[in-house]
Structures are given as structure tokens and as C-alpha cells.
Amino acid sequence: MKKLALVVFLAAVVAAAVWLLARREDPREVPFARARRQTLASIVRTNGKVEPVHRTPVATERGGVVAKVHAERGRRVRRGELLVELATEGAEKDLAAAEARIAEAQATLEMLEVGGRAADRAAADAAVAAAEEELATARRELESLTRLLEQQAATREEVLQAGDRVRKAELELDAQKRRRAALVTPADRAAAEARLRQALADREQAARRLAQSRIRAPSDGVIYDLPVRPGSYVQPGDPVAELGRLESLRVLIYVDEPELGGVAVGMPVIVTWDARPGKQWRGAVDKGATQIVKLGTRQVGEVIGDIDNSGLELVPGANVNIEIRSHVVENALTVPKEALRRRGETSGVLVLEGNQVAWRPVELGIASITHVEVVRGLPQD
């Protein structure tokens, strides 16, 4: 039994040895591909966020409670369109009361301009007319008695009494004229003018409060931020909305730190959005990164790109996919990336020379997803 087991073991060892020898003798397969010339673009692929290029913040001039919100995020508005209303706190009543006081003061001034109230003027005019009539009668009587005295048909005492009557009538006429003039005094006019000025100031203040309670769009645009809700309280200067123009957009591009060296101003940018499959927006890098920031687990530079959005399909706040064509080489000699081999720090390729495979070091240029440029090391013909 032991001999049978030994024979089986030896047979297994021999079979394994034969198999290993056969494996060692099999030729090693190496994939080959032809080097070819083509336009090669080095592309940085990353993500970003869309923002308007032109921003117009809308802030409140006065504090108060938000009563109504007439707009919603993403809606296009026109200049002067009502966006938000604050509680007016009686501004309408104050405005109406000021208007009433203005009308009253203006009426008083008009009355003073013509000499006072109509009834008072009529009574004063009647009193002056009566005094004038009395004076005229007294003077006629004095003249008549004076002539009669010359004819010795009247006494001196009668003439003296008629003269006293004339003087009394003159004094009465002067008094009535002063009373009529006293219907309107400079103090009355000054008081009426002061009441008018105060009423006008009250109206202006109430109108300003009312206007500040109605917050309107300062320009045409699309609302892309609306932080207030009915019932919330705002302080003077707090933002209530932000408008943007969407014909051109700015995209904040998050470029990983190792790839920042390959990104420069003016490079073409292609934007895609998962919400619009198959749609592309094109633009260019406008500003390079000024600092490195942490984004989740990544260290990125924030690069700014401008893109055309004439169709208004892309909206602010969208998270988008970005391609930056960092370098483009026309008629580049390229090989597939899988054809590259490394020996230490040197990159190279295996070249078929007759029936032999030879290692050849190469100097590489830019790379796309699938191909890499060979600058030196292969025939450039």
C-alpha cells in the first residue's frame, strides 16, 4: 500500500515538472500597435459650479418684518418689478393724514391770500361801507350848517356839533379799516406756511417708508438667490435677493493641485450637465487659481471660466462636469498608453526589429486618455 502511494506521488511530481518545462518554453506574447500621427489634446477632467458673471445684490433700506414675497428663485424679472414687501406699520395711514393736513394748510393760505374767510371779509366790508356812509352824511351836514351860519340861519353851536360828528365818523371809519386789515396778519400767514411745511415733510417721510417697504428689482435679470421668507425679520442693509444675467455664466472649476500647472488663462473649456444629457457649453479659462483650498478629501485650486449660455438652459448653482483642453499638439506622433513600459525612472517602448523585440527609451510629451505623444526615441517620419 505504501509502495502504491509512493508511485502516485512520484508520478505527480514528474507531471508537474513536465508542465513547468512546457510553460517555460512557450514564447511570451507582446501586444504591438503602430505609432501614428494625430491631433492630440491633453484634457483636465474635473467638476465645478455655475454662477452668474453679472451679480446685482438687492438689499433693504429699512428694517422690518417681511410681509410678502412676490418672486421665486430662477424667475426672470424686469427692472422695477416688485420682489418683496415689508410690513408698512401704518405708513399708508400716515401718508393719508399728511395729505389731509397739506390740503388744509393750502386752503388756509389761499384764504389768507384773499384777505381771510369770506364771512369775515363780508362783515368787515359792510362795517367799512357803513362808516364811510356815516362820514359822508356828517360832512354834508357840516357843509350845510356852515352855509346857514353865514346866512345867520344856524347857530355856531350847531356847526360845532356837526364838526364833532364828522370827527367821530372819521375815527370810526379808520377803526373799521384797521379791523378789516387785522383779518390777515403776518403771524397768521407764517403759522399757515409752517403747518404746510410740516405736513409736506410728514408726507415725504411716510412716502419714503412706504417706498422702502416695497423692494423692487434694480435691473433686469434672473433671481438666483432669495434668502427671505414671509415672517422673517430683516435689518437695514440685509440682502433680500440677488439677480444675475444668464446670457454668459461664470463657472468655478475645481482643479486638483497636481494638475494646476497644466491649466492657463485662455484654454478652452467644455461644460456638460447631467440634467441636459448630450448638451455642451463652451468657453475659456478666465482666471487662474490664487490659492489651494480643501474640497472634501481633495486639495484643489479654484479656476474661473467664462462660458456662453445664450440659450439660457444652464442655471446658476448647477454642479457641472468640466473638460479643460490644457494642451493641443497638431500632427503629433502618438502611441497607445498601454504600449509604454518603464525601467526605473525611464519610459520606453518595445520595438519589433526583425524577429527580435528591443527596448527603446523615449521622451514623452502630452497625453490624452488613451494616447501619449512621443517626442524623441522613435523615427519621426
Side-chain angles (χ1 to χ4, degrees):
M1 191 70 179
K2 290 181 178 180
K3 289 182 179 181
L4 180 59
L6 180 61
V7 171
V8 172
F9 173 74
L10 290 174
V13 171
V14 171
V18 171
W19 181 80
L20 288 173
L21 287 173
R23 288 279 298 172
R24 290 183 62 182
E25 292 174 358
D26 286 343
R28 187 174 180 182
E29 293 185 1
V30 177
F32 279 82
R34 288 186 178 275
R36 63 189 181 93
R37 290 194 176 276
Q38 61 178 325
T39 299
L40 191 64
S42 177
I43 297 177
V44 176
R45 284 181 169 82
T46 183
N47 64 307
K49 190 170 184 177
V50 175
E51 297 177 344
V53 174
H54 304 286
R55 292 182 171 185
T56 305
V58 183
T60 176
E61 296 183 59
R62 60 176 289 262
V65 177
V66 176
K68 293 181 181 178
V69 177
H70 295 272
E72 59 273 348
R73 189 176 298 176
R75 197 183 100 194
R76 177 173 289 276
V77 295
R78 296 292 184 185
R79 180 179 180 180
E81 188 171 337
L82 184 60
L83 303 179
V84 176
E85 279 189 80
L86 303 182
T88 56
E89 300 175 355
E92 293 97 338
K93 291 182 179 179
D94 293 343
L95 182 60
E99 294 282 5
R101 291 196 297 274
I102 289 171
E104 181 181 358
Q106 288 174 336
T108 300
L109 280 173
E110 289 174 1
M111 177 191 69
L112 295 176
E113 194 68 33
V114 297
R117 289 189 293 270
D120 294 340
R121 291 200 314 273
D125 289 343
V128 169
E132 289 175 340
E133 180 64 26
E134 173 63 20
L135 178 59
T137 300
R139 284 174 176 172
R140 286 194 298 271
E141 184 180 358
L142 176 61
E143 291 174 358
S144 176
L145 290 173
T146 300
R147 285 193 301 270
L148 291 174
L149 177 62
E150 292 174 354
Q151 297 172 5
Q152 297 182 352
T155 65
R156 182 170 297 276
E157 184 67 23
E158 291 175 329
V159 172
L160 292 174
Q161 289 177 355
D164 289 340
R165 182 181 176 188
V166 169
R167 285 189 291 275
K168 288 180 181 179
E170 290 174 340
L171 291 174
E172 179 62 21
L173 177 60
D174 185 61
Q176 292 300 333
K177 286 182 177 181
R178 286 198 302 272
R179 290 191 188 96
R180 185 174 65 180
L183 291 176
V184 178
T185 65
D188 293 334
R189 184 180 300 279
E193 290 174 346
R195 288 195 296 273
L196 179 59
R197 287 194 298 271
Q198 183 61 52
L200 289 170
D202 292 343
R203 180 179 68 179
E204 182 180 356
Q205 183 178 8
R208 187 185 306 112
R209 285 175 54 205
L210 201 58
Q212 291 174 345
S213 299
R214 297 186 173 103
I215 305 170
R216 301 180 180 276
S219 62
D220 294 352
V222 173
I223 299 174
Y224 74 94
D225 192 18
L226 193 67
V228 296
R229 295 291 181 272
S232 57
Y233 187 85
V234 292
Q235 298 284 355
D238 282 354
V240 298
E242 195 161 4
L243 304 182
R245 300 187 64 178
L246 302 188
E247 291 79 6
S248 62
L249 293 175
R250 182 175 71 178
V251 58
L252 192 61
I253 305 170
Y254 306 121
V255 179
D256 290 310
E257 184 177 357
E259 297 182 301
L260 278 174
V263 176
V265 173
M267 289 182 173
V269 173
I270 298 176
V271 175
T272 58
W273 186 26
D274 293 342
R276 292 282 189 272
K279 176 71 177 178
Q280 290 185 345
W281 293 265
R282 296 180 181 273
V285 174
D286 182 58
K287 294 180 182 178
T290 57
Q291 62 178 343
I292 304 298
V293 298
K294 190 174 181 62
L295 182 67
T297 59
R298 300 163 62 192
Q299 294 288 116
V300 301
E302 295 181 337
V303 175
I304 304 299
D306 286 341
I307 58 174
D308 177 64
N309 187 40
S310 53
L312 304 181
E313 295 180 84
L314 194 56
V315 298
N319 294 304
V320 293
N321 309 305
I322 309 292
E323 288 186 2
I324 302 175
R325 299 185 69 181
S326 59
H327 293 90
V328 178
V329 177
E330 301 290 343
N331 199 33
L333 183 64
T334 66
V335 297
K337 281 186 173 180
E338 58 267 23
L340 292 177
R341 300 290 185 273
R342 292 190 67 83
R343 288 186 179 178
E345 298 297 322
T346 305
S347 296
V349 294
L350 295 175
V351 179
L352 182 62
E353 297 179 347
N355 294 325
Q356 300 294 321
V357 174
W359 160 264
R360 184 173 294 179
V362 293
E363 181 181 339
L364 303 177
I366 70 169
S368 67
I369 298 178
T370 58
H371 285 73
V372 62
E373 178 191 14
V374 177
V375 180
R376 288 186 184 87
L378 291 179
Q380 298 295 310
D381 297 336

